[in-house]
């Protein structure tokens, strides 16, 4: 009885719970890589839009200052 339990737990030279844990680890790693890549793209797009808006605000402010003088 104990030998059958030992053999079922150590099937394929590893414990039976190591395969699901390995799969979960790989999935987590892939999610992390995809998320970080997407976040980097969002940050770059945000910085570009922010720069454009600040430049437009500066032009508007410079135009308003010149018009009032």
């Amino acid at each position: 009885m104990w030998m059958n339990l030992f053999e079922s737990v150590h099937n394929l030279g590893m414990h039976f719970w190591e395969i699901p844990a390995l799969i979960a680890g790989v999935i987590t790693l892939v999610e992390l890589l995809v998320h970080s890549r997407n976040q980097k793209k969002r940050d770059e797009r945000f910085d570009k839009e922010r720069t454009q808006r600040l430049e437009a605000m500066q032009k508007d402010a410079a135009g308003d200052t010149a018009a009032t003088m």
Side-chain angles (χ1 to χ4, degrees):
M1 181 172 102
W2 291 109
M3 199 57 162
N4 290 336
L5 176 64
F6 179 82
E7 288 175 4
S8 66
V9 168
H10 294 88
N11 190 16
L12 300 175
M14 60 177 64
H15 295 101
F16 66 92
W17 60 82
E18 289 177 353
I19 293 173
L22 182 63
I23 292 171
V26 169
I27 290 172
T28 302
L29 181 63
V30 168
E31 284 183 21
L32 177 67
L33 293 173
V34 169
H35 173 73
S36 62
R37 185 176 60 90
N38 289 342
Q39 184 64 34
K40 185 176 180 182
K41 287 182 180 180
R42 284 191 294 266
D43 286 343
E44 290 172 357
R45 187 173 52 234
F46 174 77
D47 287 340
K48 184 179 177 182
E49 290 175 3
R50 183 185 56 168
T51 303
Q52 290 173 350
R53 288 181 182 172
L54 287 174
E55 289 173 356
M57 289 172 59
Q58 288 175 349
K59 288 179 184 177
D60 288 344
D64 290 343
T65 305
T68 59
M69 290 185 168

